[in-house]
Amino acid sequence: MPETLTDFRSQLDNVVAEASMKGGVGKTSTTANLAGITAASGQRVLVVDLDPQGNLGEDLGYRGTELDDEGRQLFDAVAMGEKLTPIVGVRPNLDVIPGGRMTGKLTTQLAGDGMSGVDVTEALARALAPLAPQYSLVLLDCPPGEGIMQTQALVAARWLIIPTLPDDASKSGIFQIARRVEELRRYNPTLGILGVLLWGIGSTSTRVQANARAELREMLGEDVPVFESYIRHAQASAVAARNSGQLAHELAKEAQDQDPFAWRKQLLDGEPATRRIGSSAGHLAADYIAVTREVLQTINTHTAQTNQEPENEGASA
Ligand SMILES: Nc1ncnc2c1ncn2[C@@H]1O[C@H](COP(=O)(O)OP(=O)(O)OP(=O)(O)O)[C@@H](O)[C@H]1O
Ligand SMILES: [Mg+2]
């Protein structure tokens, strides 16, 4: 008899989905940077790209290389029930299951089988369960909108992070995904919203931010927490990072390592111009580091609370 999902739910305790109903709110950038910083700190991380766009491959720099299977592993595991085997060592401690063209095919195939089928809904969770315990953290990068891949992610994950722009349309998307979490409780009773992440904030003014936070809190109530840390708007650095397949902290390091007098050599000796990266890469990296710390601390706090609960029950019994 096949295992029910609850049989291996505990194997998925470290799985975190980044999802939103809205497109372009920083799901992929946040996933990539969170993964990269956590891995650089020495913890083993797996990232699964569930998006046919395959943007994660751009952020991590494997897009179009021999490492990029464009989602074939994911297709074989989810649609055919084969063993899921990640690409190992995209960075030290960081493994990836890529998305891309084949993920689009997978989406079509699963949608064709009907969204309500238990096997279809739980397929990713089943594929991930044997792999997830090998990692400290497993991140799922979802495509935008309420499709079958987002459903799969929400059924597999223990936690959900909802990145959002501080505009009204993005904020109403939070309600929609919170409703989706409730709808999927029958498949995944342990799924919790770890936090809403304010992303692409145009102003670092504390007053503007405090207002954005107060509005969110009023809208969402106490049940949906908002992270204290945030990601600022830094488009030039973000574009440079994605174009060069580097994460914000890697780009910032490159900027730091650049010869500060390169411009003089270019002017006086006619040396070819080197790529200049502004200090905004450093600020963006600092934001991602703060977010990573807060995310990991929040997970640890919840885990410690959960681990204490049976003891307390036992003590009072
Ligand atoms: N800090 C930032 N400030 C401004 N723009 C950014 C920032 N980080 C990333 N971007 C740009 O915003 C766009 C959307 O980012 P990203 O791909 O992370 O969002 P997403 O939610 O994953 O999008 P999708 O819904 O298409 O998957 C990208 O083109 C990226 O270059
Ligand atoms: Mg994305």
Side-chain angles (χ1 to χ4, degrees), residues 10 13 158 299-314:
S10 65
D13 268 354
R158 171 68 182 85
I299 294 174
N300 285 344
T301 305
H302 283 297
T303 307
Q305 280 167 358
T306 311
N307 289 344
Q308 262 181 357
E309 275 162 19
E311 266 177 44
N312 290 345
E313 275 167 28

Side-chain angles (χ1 to χ4, degrees), residues 209-231:
Q209 280 208 41
N211 288 346
R213 261 169 226 288
E215 267 179 41
L216 271 175
R217 216 160 281 138
E218 196 181 324
M219 211 177 90
L220 301 169
E222 294 299 318
D223 291 345
V224 181
V226 180
F227 290 113
E228 284 301 317
S229 44
Y230 64 92
I231 303 299

Side-chain angles (χ1 to χ4, degrees), residues 62 64-75 85 87 96-103:
Y62 62 78
T65 68
E66 72 282 1
L67 296 178
D68 187 4
D69 73 2
E70 298 182 85
R72 178 161 289 284
Q73 267 288 332
L74 190 70
F75 183 95
T85 312
I87 304 172
V96 173
I97 295 174
R101 192 176 50 84
M102 291 297 290
T103 319

Side-chain angles (χ1 to χ4, degrees), residues 23-29 51 53 144 199 232-235 238 242:
V25 292
K27 296 179 289 296
T28 303
S29 308
D51 192 340
Q53 296 179 100
W199 180 87
R232 76 190 62 207
H233 182 88
Q235 196 168 16
R242 185 164 282 183

Side-chain angles (χ1 to χ4, degrees), residues 8-301:
F8 51 81
R9 174 57 57 200
S10 65
Q11 289 168 251
L12 299 166
D13 268 354
N14 55 352
V15 179
V16 180
E18 295 242 16
S20 155
M21 293 299 171
K22 279 276 290 173
V25 292
K27 296 179 289 296
T28 303
S29 308
T30 310
T31 304
N33 282 281
L34 237 166
I37 292 164
T38 308
S41 80
Q43 302 187 51
R44 287 200 74 204
V45 181
L46 173 69
V47 195
V48 185
D49 183 1
L50 299 171
D51 192 340
Q53 296 179 100
N55 293 140
L56 187 78
E58 290 167 48
D59 285 354
L60 290 172
Y62 62 78
R63 184 83 183 252
T65 68
E66 72 282 1
L67 296 178
D68 187 4
D69 73 2
E70 298 182 85
R72 178 161 289 284
Q73 267 288 332
L74 190 70
F75 183 95
D76 290 347
V78 174
M80 325 290 278
E82 287 181 18
K83 186 169 165 248
L84 198 53
T85 312
I87 304 172
V88 175
V90 167
R91 299 283 191 284
N93 298 317
L94 177 55
D95 301 347
V96 173
I97 295 174
R101 192 176 50 84
M102 291 297 290
T103 319
K105 199 172 159 199
L106 176 63
T107 308
T108 314
Q109 179 140 337
L110 295 180
D113 284 349
M115 296 258 305
S116 59
V118 172
D119 286 338
V120 168
T121 309
E122 296 179 347
L124 176 66
R126 285 177 187 281
L128 267 181
L131 197 58
Q134 297 169 30
Y135 296 90
S136 297
L137 183 67
V138 178
L139 291 168
L140 311 179
D141 181 25
C142 294
E146 193 182 74
I148 185 73
M149 298 313 287
Q150 188 202 70
T151 301
Q152 300 253 343
L154 297 182
V155 170
R158 171 68 182 85
W159 296 112
L160 168 64
I161 295 174
I162 311 171
T164 186
L165 281 160
D167 63 42
D168 287 344
S170 303
K171 284 189 272 183
S172 72
I174 302 172
F175 275 128
Q176 293 168 29
I177 197 156
R179 206 179 311 129
R180 193 74 186 123
V181 169
E182 290 309 317
E183 285 167 8
L184 291 170
R185 284 234 180 274
R186 65 199 165 108
Y187 295 109
N188 186 359
T190 60
L191 176 63
I193 299 177
L194 195 67
V196 170
L197 174 65
L198 281 166
W199 180 87
I201 298 261
S203 169
T204 52
S205 140
T206 40
R207 193 165 50 82
V208 172
Q209 280 208 41
N211 288 346
R213 261 169 226 288
E215 267 179 41
L216 271 175
R217 216 160 281 138
E218 196 181 324
M219 211 177 90
L220 301 169
E222 294 299 318
D223 291 345
V224 181
V226 180
F227 290 113
E228 284 301 317
S229 44
Y230 64 92
I231 303 299
R232 76 190 62 207
H233 182 88
Q235 196 168 16
S237 295
V239 169
R242 185 164 282 183
N243 286 345
S244 62
Q246 288 178 293
L247 298 169
H249 69 279
E250 294 165 345
L251 197 67
K253 178 155 190 327
E254 184 185 292
Q256 215 174 39
D257 292 346
Q258 273 181 351
D259 178 357
F261 298 108
W263 61 272
R264 256 177 52 184
K265 290 183 195 150
Q266 284 157 25
L267 184 70
L268 301 176
D269 308 334
E271 276 189 11
T274 52
R275 187 158 54 92
R276 305 296 302 171
I277 303 153
S279 63
S280 66
H283 294 306
L284 186 59
D287 287 354
Y288 277 119
I289 290 166
V291 166
T292 304
R293 281 174 67 98
E294 191 176 354
V295 164
L296 297 179
Q297 270 168 8
T298 310
I299 294 174
N300 285 344
T301 305

